[in-house]
Amino acid sequence: MAKTLNLTLKVWRQENREAKGRIETYAAKDIPVDASFLEMLDIVNEGLVKEGKEPIHFDHDCREGICGMCSLTINGIPHGPERQVTTCQLHMRKFKDGDTVWIEPFRAKAFPILRDLMVDRSALDRIIAAGGYIDVRTGSAPNANNIAVEKVKADAAFDAAACIGCGACVASCKNASAMLFTSAKIAHLNLLPQGQPERSKRVLAMMKQMEAEGFGNCTNQYECEAACPKGISVDNIARLNRDFMRANAKEGLCF
């Protein structure tokens, strides 16, 4: 196997959210096969800077598959062709010499483009803020082992908490739905005994905020689960729908 690759990049460029975007073509030469996708973009940007050109703008932070910042759509797939990896953990050995690679931002009404491949995903933060909390008596926190948690529920809550909020589920959905993200954040707390006092309030508040942000309805085709780098299960969506119906019934609301 060759140690380096030469690729043609088709990259979305857009100066700001009001500007008209376009696809521009770049040559990515002598890219090490062991480089990550973001490292490949770093190499291309170094060349652009040397030529006095504007580098390609993209989000990144930990580069360890933890933070979810590296939100790129690669050849039409959020985070690229590998299952359950983030863009920063996608390596160039997954591509072939001479490949043409299309790189675009995550597409969703609720994710306005800031510049090039960077989008504003603060809508997800506002969903969490709407109900992602528990009420506790400050200054009197009990010992962690005082509240028994069933292992099955603890495991399910831990799995839901693995969501890093990258937004790949939204970008993969034809309706740009945030149901997988929202259901994971709700399940994380609603499965635990500490989260029971706000259970109904949390569901209604976060679902209301999700709708207000402009996310679409779930397609029930579960592209979101396939795109999620952490393998968040769509079982959380079914659990959310059940809790939402119960919360509406408890509050005497129509749906």
Side-chain angles (χ1 to χ4, degrees):
M1 180 178 180
K3 293 184 178 180
T4 60
L5 301 173
N6 293 315
L7 306 168
T8 299
L9 305 184
K10 299 288 187 177
V11 183
W12 183 264
R13 302 303 304 264
Q14 185 171 336
E15 283 70 23
N16 53 60
R17 67 180 64 189
E18 288 80 25
K20 184 177 181 180
R22 64 201 180 278
I23 291 289
E24 292 191 359
T25 303
Y26 300 94
K29 298 180 179 179
D30 300 322
I31 305 299
V33 295
D34 291 329
S36 72
F37 200 87
L38 296 189
E39 288 170 339
M40 179 273 292
L41 289 177
D42 288 338
I43 294 171
V44 172
N45 275 344
E46 287 175 1
L48 291 176
V49 171
K50 288 180 180 179
E51 295 173 8
K53 298 179 180 178
E54 187 71 20
I56 300 165
H57 294 258
F58 60 93
D59 267 328
H60 65 94
D61 191 6
C62 74
R63 299 202 178 199
E64 295 179 348
I66 299 172
C67 73
M69 289 290 289
C70 52
S71 53
L72 300 181
T73 300
I74 303 166
N75 289 341
I77 305 172
H79 291 305
E82 285 290 285
R83 290 292 299 272
Q84 297 191 9
V85 297
T86 51
T87 298
C88 63
Q89 295 293 292
L90 175 66
H91 289 85
M92 299 313 297
R93 56 180 170 268
K94 298 300 180 181
F95 298 88
K96 297 178 181 179
D97 187 48
D99 276 355
T100 296
V101 183
W102 294 76
I103 311 172
E104 300 175 80
F106 280 0
R107 302 287 189 180
K109 178 182 177 181
F111 292 167
I113 293 177
L114 297 175
R115 185 164 188 174
D116 294 346
L117 305 174
M118 299 172 62
V119 299
D120 181 356
R121 288 170 291 174
S122 58
L124 300 182
D125 297 330
R126 290 189 287 272
I127 292 175
I128 294 177
Y133 58 86
I134 60 172
D135 296 322
V136 296
R137 293 175 58 192
T138 59
S140 60
N143 183 284
N145 295 325
N146 283 355
I147 301 177
V149 183
E150 297 175 40
K151 187 177 187 309
V152 173
K153 291 185 177 180
D155 288 345
F158 187 84
D159 289 343
C163 170
I164 57 177
C166 67
C169 53
V170 177
S172 67
C173 178
K174 297 180 180 66
N175 294 340
S177 171
M179 280 292 284
L180 188 65
F181 167 83
T182 304
S183 66
K185 296 305 177 184
I186 289 175
H188 170 205
L189 295 176
N190 277 12
L191 285 165
L192 298 174
Q194 295 92 332
Q196 297 313 302
E198 306 85 7
R199 186 184 184 100
S200 296
K201 180 171 66 174
R202 176 178 300 110
V203 171
L204 294 175
M206 294 178 75
M207 288 288 281
K208 181 179 179 181
Q209 187 64 40
M210 182 182 71
E211 183 178 357
E213 295 293 344
F215 292 103
N217 296 321
C218 180
T219 64
N220 294 314
Q221 295 178 0
Y222 307 136
E223 313 97 319
C224 52
E225 184 180 66
C228 177
K230 297 302 176 181
I232 303 298
S233 173
V234 293
D235 290 346
N236 289 305
I237 296 179
R239 186 181 292 112
L240 170 57
N241 287 333
R242 180 195 64 199
D243 285 355
F244 183 62
M245 293 179 67
R246 288 177 177 175
N248 273 288
K250 183 178 180 179
E251 298 294 326
L253 302 175
C254 297
F255 56 90

